Amino acid sequence: MIKKSREKNRKNDWTSFYKNKSNQVPRDTLLKVLELFESEKKQGTDLFAIDIGCGHGADTLELLKRNWKVLAIDNNPEGLKLLEESVLPDWKMNLQTRKQAFESMQFEKCNLINASYSIPFCKPEYFMKLWNEIVKSIRTGGRFSGNFFGVNDSWSDNKSMTFLKKEVVKNLFVKFEIELFQERDEDGATASGEAKHWHVFSVIARRKDSPMKNSLNAIIVEAIK
């Protein structure tokens, strides 16, 4: 009964999040990474992004508006339905959607993987599988933009989520040049207005052509257990 109650509450939380108009704006990390692409004179048409945990699609819609082709992935059909209902007719040819859980995700080659407040909800035992898939899919010169939760976060007692120390987050990006790294460790509130301590790392990084050493991969796996 307790497990079913928690699942129902979690579903209600996502429903509230999707319907909250203040959440229906693109994340700062996405806007900044798009500025970086545009500063290189790379805009839309031939650019392909994968939006992991797209939710109701605020980031996806911004990418489509800028003429990117987008694969939007989420495991919640409600969010995908809201996204599809929000897409302008002229954008539909550039959008694919996919209902999929983190543990089974596989990606094609892309210029950008965007993961705004999504991959912390990947279970720890699947995190490195997901991360290695992310790294493998980003083309040289492509980018990652997204967020990780730190160990001081007030949700860190949730064993079905992944929380990382700062050095572990930085070690994930050995194959990247980090272009933005911000840490937020402060009291705040959730989208539904509940008090929460946020510990968040926001990262933008550009893919280099250098392999991740197996020894480092093993250290990261051990650190997130």
Side-chain angles (χ1 to χ4, degrees), residues 23 25-36 58-59 62 66 114 116-117 145-147 180 182 184 202-204:
N23 298 316
V25 294
R27 297 288 186 178
D28 288 343
T29 44
L30 176 76
L31 295 176
K32 288 173 183 175
V33 80
L34 290 176
E35 287 178 8
L36 290 169
D59 286 356
E62 184 66 25
R66 302 194 193 204
N114 182 63
S116 296
Y117 289 84
S145 62
N147 314 92
L180 176 134
Q182 294 178 337
R184 177 189 177 194
S202 299
V203 184
I204 295 173

Side-chain angles (χ1 to χ4, degrees), residues 63-221:
L63 285 158
L64 291 170
K65 185 172 78 173
R66 302 194 193 204
N67 296 317
W68 282 65
K69 294 180 174 66
V70 186
L71 169 60
I73 305 175
D74 204 283
N75 200 35
N76 189 315
E78 183 178 1
L80 292 173
K81 182 174 182 290
L82 287 170
L83 166 59
E84 290 167 350
E85 290 172 350
S86 303
V87 175
L88 297 179
D90 290 346
W91 298 349
K92 288 185 177 181
M93 64 181 295
N94 286 333
L95 174 66
Q96 305 172 58
T97 60
R98 183 188 298 169
K99 181 183 180 299
Q100 194 170 27
F102 289 118
E103 54 265 32
S104 60
M105 285 185 181
Q106 291 185 314
F107 311 120
E108 45 265 74
K109 290 290 185 180
C110 63
N111 304 97
L112 171 66
I113 283 196
N114 182 63
S116 296
Y117 289 84
S118 59
I119 54 179
F121 293 92
C122 177
K123 293 178 180 179
E125 59 265 36
Y126 297 113
F127 180 82
M128 281 310 299
K129 178 179 181 290
L130 172 65
W131 183 251
N132 287 330
E133 188 66 30
I134 288 171
V135 173
K136 184 174 68 174
S137 71
I138 299 175
R139 296 187 178 109
T140 300
R143 290 182 168 90
F144 170 88
S145 62
N147 314 92
F148 304 85
F149 285 176
V151 295
N152 297 334
D153 197 277
S154 61
W155 289 346
S156 62
D157 61 344
N158 187 333
K159 302 304 181 185
S160 66
M161 294 175 62
T162 297
F163 301 87
L164 305 174
K165 294 181 179 179
K166 182 190 290 188
E167 59 268 26
V168 173
V169 176
K170 288 190 172 181
N171 282 338
L172 292 173
F173 290 94
V174 292
K175 296 181 76 170
F176 294 78
E177 172 193 354
I178 294 178
E179 297 175 300
L180 176 134
F181 190 97
Q182 294 178 337
E183 181 179 5
R184 177 189 177 194
D185 194 354
E186 62 187 13
D187 292 334
T190 66
S192 59
E194 295 181 9
K196 180 185 183 302
H197 186 87
W198 291 96
H199 191 197
V200 181
F201 302 105
S202 299
V203 184
I204 295 173
R206 186 175 185 271
R207 179 76 154 79
K208 300 185 294 185
D209 188 17
S210 58
M212 179 186 282
K213 295 179 180 179
N214 289 335
S215 58
L216 181 57
N217 204 336
I219 290 170
I220 294 171
V221 170

